């Protein structure tokens, strides 16, 4: 079965973002396992998950809605990472690397959204 989301750069890059996030949170304190770590992971995996679900939908409108949700998850992830950085769990270098990937994914999503909003 051919999966339409696997052809999308937005999905491919968001998978890379998830890997960066999972590597990052390994260094967080154990007491954050069910708090901040859980929230960060959920927000990160929501991005490719929503792209995939949207790509499998029947209408352009539905696909767009899931892409908007994926963009919202990037913003949510950014907020959690800012909190983690303020708490001293994330170095400036690590934050910058992940922030660049989040910006890249967001730009790709924005382009995809714009292309889908154009009349066919």
């Amino acid at each position: 079965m051919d999966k339409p989301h696997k052809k999308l750069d937005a999905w491919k890059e968001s998978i890379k973002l998830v890997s960066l996030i999972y590597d990052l949170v390994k260094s967080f304190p154990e007491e954050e396992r069910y708090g901040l770590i859980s929230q960060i992971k959920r927000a990160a995996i929501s991005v490719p998950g929503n792209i995939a679900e949207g790509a499998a939908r029947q209408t352009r409108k539905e696909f767009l809605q899931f892409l908007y949700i994926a963009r919202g998850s990037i913003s949510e992830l950014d907020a959690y990472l800012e909190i983690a950085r303020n708490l001293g769990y994330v170095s400036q270098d690590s934050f910058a690397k992940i922030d660049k990937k989040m910006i890249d994914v967001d730009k790709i999503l924005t382009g995809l959204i714009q292309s889908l909003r154009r009349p066919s």
Side-chain angles (χ1 to χ4, degrees):
M1 183 171 150
D2 192 27
K3 307 276 194 254
H5 63 276
K6 290 190 176 185
K7 297 175 186 173
L8 298 171
D9 289 338
W11 183 82
K12 293 173 190 174
E13 292 303 310
S14 66
I15 291 293
K16 292 176 186 175
L17 174 61
V18 171
S19 295
L20 290 173
I21 292 298
Y22 269 68
D23 286 342
L24 176 74
V25 298
K26 288 176 185 174
S27 65
F28 281 33
E30 180 65 26
E31 67 263 16
E32 290 295 348
R33 171 181 271 174
Y34 301 107
L36 197 52
I37 292 172
S38 176
Q39 291 296 107
I40 288 171
K41 285 180 171 182
R42 286 173 202 248
I45 63 174
S46 175
V47 179
N50 277 293
I51 294 168
E53 186 170 353
R57 294 295 174 138
Q58 297 298 310
T59 68
R60 182 180 284 196
K61 183 178 177 181
E62 287 177 300
F63 188 15
L64 279 166
Q65 183 60 34
F66 280 92
L67 294 177
Y68 286 124
I69 293 168
R71 284 188 67 210
S73 293
I74 292 173
S75 292
E76 182 182 7
L77 176 60
D78 181 59
Y80 296 144
L81 291 174
E82 195 68 49
I83 291 166
R85 187 171 69 158
N86 288 342
L87 292 171
Y89 301 157
V90 180
S91 71
Q92 183 56 41
D93 287 344
S94 294
F95 182 85
K97 181 179 179 180
I98 291 173
D99 189 50
K100 182 183 180 326
K101 182 56 74 179
M102 287 190 300
I103 290 168
D104 290 347
V105 172
D106 190 57
K107 284 180 180 177
I108 295 167
L109 278 171
T110 298
L112 182 56
I113 287 167
Q114 288 174 347
S115 73
L116 288 170
R117 291 185 69 190
R118 284 188 211 114
S120 32

